[in-house]
Amino acid sequence: MHEKPFWETTPLDQMSRKQWESLCDGCARCCLTKIQNDFTEDIYYTNVACHLLDESSCRCTRYTERQQLVPDCVVLASDQLGKFTWLPDTCAYRLLDEGKPLPQWHPLISGDSDSVHAAGMSVRGRTIAEDSVNEDKIEDFIIHWIPKTRAHKNA
Ligand code: SF4
Ligand code: SF4
């Protein structure tokens, strides 16, 4: 009989560190600058990438020091369950937290870390560097291939 994979049987808050880390599909969507509308509280994604992101690999160049170097960088943890609503709707943590399945292009299902790029779900080739953007003009860089989202009200 086919055994179910761990992400279908193990609740997020009971996963091992290795299982938790493997859920990240490497899309780097969460490494884009976001803007929140103060009135509606909607969060819009831009195509402006964090200066520590390697745009071609879609990996953080300073992963272990990321929080010290980029205070806004949110390190996802299981004590934030129910508060992942600000993440892209394709993010594995958000999907599982909302009781949804992982997509077929997720590397855990495809067995290929490149499948997230091949499926066009990563930010590869779609970003611009943070240091080339005038902060006052950040709204000009809002994108719609990541739908607007919203912070959890108790986040
Ligand atoms: S959006 Fe989610 S799956 Fe994608 S890189 Fe960020 S944490 Fe990983
Ligand atoms: S510090 Fe690294 S993980 Fe955090 S937003 Fe920047 S590139 Fe992404």
Side-chain angles (χ1 to χ4, degrees):
M1 204 168 86
H2 187 65
E3 210 174 299
K4 285 189 172 182
F6 76 86
W7 60 91
E8 290 182 10
T9 57
T10 311
L12 282 166
D13 60 359
Q14 288 173 35
M15 286 183 185
S16 66
R17 168 57 46 191
K18 192 174 168 196
Q19 289 172 330
W20 178 270
E21 293 283 334
S22 72
L23 290 178
C24 180
D25 60 33
C27 70
R29 290 180 174 217
C30 58
C31 300
L32 299 176
T33 299
K34 298 161 269 302
I35 307 171
Q36 185 163 31
N37 181 304
D38 291 338
F39 298 103
T40 64
E41 297 188 1
D42 288 336
I43 294 171
Y44 294 87
Y45 278 75
T46 73
N47 60 352
V48 179
C50 173
H51 66 286
L52 292 186
L53 184 71
D54 179 327
E55 204 269 342
S56 63
S57 67
C58 291
R59 294 288 172 185
C60 182
T61 52
R62 306 286 289 274
Y63 189 71
T64 54
E65 310 146 279
R66 63 197 188 285
Q67 245 191 333
Q68 289 78 47
L69 296 171
V70 179
D72 283 352
C73 178
V74 179
V75 177
L76 303 180
S78 60
D79 63 0
Q80 301 155 3
L81 297 186
K83 298 179 181 174
F84 291 146
T85 53
W86 63 273
L87 285 162
D89 58 358
T90 54
C91 174
Y93 298 97
R94 179 172 167 186
L95 288 170
L96 294 183
D97 195 29
E98 293 176 351
K100 296 173 183 165
L102 295 185
Q104 290 305 306
W105 48 260
H106 193 289
L108 281 174
I109 295 182
S110 66
D112 177 2
S113 60
D114 271 340
S115 58
V116 61
H117 308 301
M121 303 311 295
S122 77
V123 305
R124 182 183 282 174
R126 304 165 101 174
T127 65
I128 57 171
E130 199 174 29
D131 57 11
S132 67
V133 171
N134 176 345
E135 251 185 67
D136 296 338
K137 301 265 183 198
I138 192 72
E139 290 185 9
D140 293 349
F141 298 91
I142 288 174
I143 51 169
H144 297 288
W145 47 269
I146 299 176
K148 71 178 179 183
T149 181
R150 208 169 251 232
H152 185 271
K153 58 178 186 284
N154 296 322

